[in-house]
Amino acid sequence: MKIKMPRAHTPSGWITFGFYEDLNEATMIALEGMIDLLEELHKLERKEALTIASLVVDLRITQIVNGVKGVHAVLPHNCISKI
């Protein structure tokens, strides 16, 4: 079962989050959430969404607290003009 993490729509872009004890796993959760979002927003196939994410999505460390690591993926507004 895939866990749906929270998303945020901010003035600067969309953000998806990943939290886990392992930083690599937290990163994959945030990235998977962003790929899901790209598929939904732009009606893309998964492979296309991954390709676009590799070009325009920025991954940032959110937290490293109490053994839990957090990562957020940022998709700036207007980085995808027309698909």
Side-chain angles (χ1 to χ4, degrees):
M1 181 174 91
K2 192 173 188 178
I3 298 172
K4 196 118 175 169
M5 295 300 291
R7 299 172 173 174
H9 185 252
T10 71
S12 60
W14 280 97
I15 301 174
T16 57
F17 302 90
F19 300 98
Y20 206 78
E21 294 88 14
D22 178 71
L23 188 59
N24 290 326
E25 187 65 28
T27 301
M28 291 308 299
I29 293 168
L31 184 57
E32 287 287 328
M34 184 56 72
I35 292 168
D36 292 343
L37 181 64
L38 282 165
E39 287 178 308
E40 293 169 27
L41 291 177
H42 299 287
K43 309 297 185 242
L44 298 171
E45 296 294 324
R46 193 144 192 90
K47 187 174 179 180
E48 295 169 319
L50 178 58
T51 300
I52 290 171
S54 72
L55 297 171
V56 298
V57 171
D58 186 26
L59 295 167
R60 301 175 187 167
I61 304 300
T62 303
Q63 71 174 30
I64 299 176
V65 178
N66 299 328
V68 176
K69 279 68 171 189
V71 176
H72 61 279
V74 180
L75 174 67
H77 291 305
N78 301 321
C79 68
I80 304 171
S81 57
K82 294 277 184 190
I83 296 179

